[in-house]
Amino acid sequence: EDQVTQSPEALRLQEGESSSLNCSYTVSGLRGLFWYRQDPGKGPEFLFTLYSAGEEKEKERLKATLTKKESFLHITAPKPEDSATYLCAVQGGYNFNKFYFGSGTKLNVKP
Amino acid sequence: EAQVTQNPRYLITVTGKKLTVTCSQNMNHEYMSWYRQDPGLGLRQIYYSMNVEVTDKGDVPEGYKVSRKEKRNFPLILESPSPNQTSLYFCATRDRLNYGYTFGSGTRLTVV
């Protein structure tokens, strides 16, 4: 069964304290792995797409990496405005129209 | 400006009263999808559409209908809503190049 698991569920950091969020997946024939940011009361906002193991993408303080079984979202020197829920999704399996989302990691960055 | 517009943003209704949540996009995207988001369960796909008149079930289609008569519009229909359909709903679109979805702002539905 295709599945996406994110950990931790919640993460509290001090401003400037770097950390990583994890997204592990069991999907046959991965076509793409996506990271989103979601602020309260809003729709998810697209951050990155990763297609193959070893690939990395960066945007400001965020860096996403991908292995064959998991992806990491590294947050370097976070600021309070990075506080949000971060969602991971995979596109794969035999039906590339299906996307499977994890439950998210709620990040709180304290000043 | 690229947009996915959902209406209404908030809706409270009673069990059994048919309702429609509208979704419109101005990006000329072929793919559109509906998701519901529930605490602890994440985003779950209800229906998706690959083009006009082409739709298919996602993971939780029971109790929902969709139609795609025009490329820009993809309404979600609840023929007889029940309390277990109380949720936050998102419409999303993407183009054929496998880029990530662009999501609407969401519709918070409460069925009493």
Side-chain angles (χ1 to χ4, degrees):
Chain A
E1 179 183 331
D2 296 331
Q3 198 167 355
V4 179
T5 303
Q6 289 188 249
S7 62
E9 288 187 15
L11 181 62
R12 179 179 290 188
L13 299 174
Q14 286 297 127
E15 184 172 0
E17 179 186 2
S18 301
S19 188
S20 297
L21 314 182
N22 177 263
C23 170
S24 63
Y25 60 90
T26 53
V27 171
S28 303
L30 179 75
R31 291 179 181 267
L33 185 141
F34 303 85
W35 282 98
Y36 291 85
R37 169 191 171 125
Q38 186 175 22
D39 293 298
K42 295 189 176 182
E45 176 188 345
F46 172 72
L47 292 173
F48 304 111
T49 308
L50 302 166
Y51 291 107
S52 56
E55 190 175 358
E56 299 181 352
K57 293 273 180 73
E58 283 189 69
K59 180 180 180 180
E60 296 181 357
R61 294 176 292 283
L62 301 176
K63 179 180 175 181
T65 62
L66 181 64
T67 71
K68 287 188 177 181
K69 292 295 182 185
E70 59 190 349
S71 176
F72 292 93
L73 184 65
H74 307 279
I75 303 176
T76 302
K79 298 182 178 181
E81 54 261 43
D82 294 321
S83 297
T85 296
Y86 290 86
L87 302 172
C88 168
V90 298
Q91 177 193 27
Y94 301 103
N95 185 343
F96 61 87
N97 290 305
K98 288 212 171 177
F99 285 68
Y100 300 93
F101 280 81
S103 298
T105 294
K106 186 173 183 180
L107 174 65
N108 186 5
V109 182
K110 294 285 194 181
Chain B
E1 180 189 350
Q3 272 190 325
V4 180
T5 303
Q6 290 180 234
N7 280 296
R9 289 294 311 277
Y10 302 92
L11 179 59
I12 301 174
T13 190
V14 295
T15 299
K17 185 177 181 181
K18 181 179 179 180
L19 67 91
T20 300
V21 183
T22 63
C23 174
S24 180
Q25 53 108 350
N26 64 359
M27 293 169 280
N28 202 36
H29 285 174
E30 292 180 347
Y31 295 90
M32 298 186 75
S33 188
W34 276 103
Y35 288 86
R36 61 177 289 174
Q37 187 174 36
D38 302 287
L41 296 177
L43 283 156
R44 292 179 292 168
Q45 195 172 40
I46 303 171
Y47 269 96
Y48 59 90
S49 170
M50 294 153 282
N51 214 326
V52 175
E53 302 291 3
V54 183
T55 63
D56 205 351
K57 296 177 181 179
D59 294 312
V60 288
E62 295 78 20
Y64 305 95
K65 284 176 57 178
V66 293
S67 69
R68 187 94 181 270
K69 293 182 169 51
E70 304 168 282
K71 197 172 186 179
R72 62 182 291 122
N73 295 323
F74 190 43
L76 179 69
I77 303 156
L78 284 73
E79 295 268 0
S80 183
S82 62
N84 65 11
Q85 292 178 298
T86 292
S87 186
L88 180 58
Y89 291 86
F90 289 103
C91 178
T93 76
R94 67 180 181 92
D95 66 20
R96 64 169 61 201
L97 298 177
N98 288 333
Y99 292 147
Y101 274 108
T102 299
F103 283 82
S105 298
T107 295
R108 186 166 292 280
L109 171 66
T110 302
V111 183
V112 298

